[in-house]
């Protein structure tokens, strides 16, 4: 799924939840109805200025829009299993004597 599609879905969902027509939102945001429709359908990638205008028209903070987008994107993401590995770190000669250990220490890395 493309980011522009998720953004468009979020805008459409919020607009419908608030009972605003496409034409009303386009007038409030000062964009054309066809262009707003293209954004909602994920066919056009809006500039940051257009995103801000639509958010203002919906009385929506940009951070709230991004939270909704993040939530929707997470739903499409497949869970990933983290793999671990270990490394051994040997003492170095430049460490103070009080911090030196005669046995190497193991650390786990998560990638």
């Amino acid at each position: 799924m493309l980011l522009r599609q998720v953004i468009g879905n979020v805008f459409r969902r919020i607009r419908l939840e608030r009972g605003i027509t496409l034409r009303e939102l386009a007038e409030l945001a000062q964009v054309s109805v066809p262009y707003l429709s293209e954004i909602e359908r994920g066919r056009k990638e809006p500039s940051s200025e257009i995103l801000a205008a639509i958010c203002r028209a919906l009385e929506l903070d940009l951070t709230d829009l991004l939270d909704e987008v993040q939530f929707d994107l997470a739903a499409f993401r497949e869970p990933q299993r983290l793999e671990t590995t270990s490394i051994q770190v040997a003492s170095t000669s430049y460490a103070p004597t009080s911090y030196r250990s005669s046995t190497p220490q193991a650390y786990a890395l998560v990638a």
Side-chain angles (χ1 to χ4, degrees):
M1 173 145 295
L2 297 174
L3 180 59
R4 69 175 185 246
Q5 293 171 318
V6 178
I7 290 171
N9 289 339
V10 169
F11 276 145
R12 175 177 284 148
R13 182 175 66 239
I14 292 171
R15 178 179 62 78
L16 293 174
E17 286 172 357
R18 296 185 180 180
I20 301 172
T21 66
L22 190 65
R23 180 171 300 285
E24 291 169 335
L25 181 58
E27 288 174 8
L28 290 169
Q30 298 181 345
V31 298
S32 71
V33 174
Y35 184 61
L36 182 58
S37 176
E38 293 281 307
I39 291 171
E40 282 193 357
R41 288 183 286 148
R43 294 188 177 178
K44 295 287 183 185
E45 190 138 1
S47 68
S48 58
E49 291 87 2
I50 297 296
L51 285 176
I54 297 170
C55 284
R56 273 193 306 274
L58 289 170
E59 298 179 355
L60 178 70
D61 286 337
L62 184 59
T63 55
D64 293 332
L65 169 68
L66 296 176
D67 284 343
E68 290 292 322
V69 168
Q70 179 184 4
F71 181 80
D72 285 9
L73 282 173
F76 289 103
R77 184 178 65 187
E78 293 183 28
Q80 295 180 356
R81 183 171 168 82
L82 298 177
E83 295 182 24
T84 60
T85 188
S86 64
I87 60 171
Q88 290 194 355
V89 179
S91 296
T92 59
S93 59
Y94 60 86
T97 312
S98 61
Y99 295 113
R100 283 192 203 159
S101 172
S102 59
T103 59
Q105 299 174 359
Y107 295 93
L109 296 178
V110 177

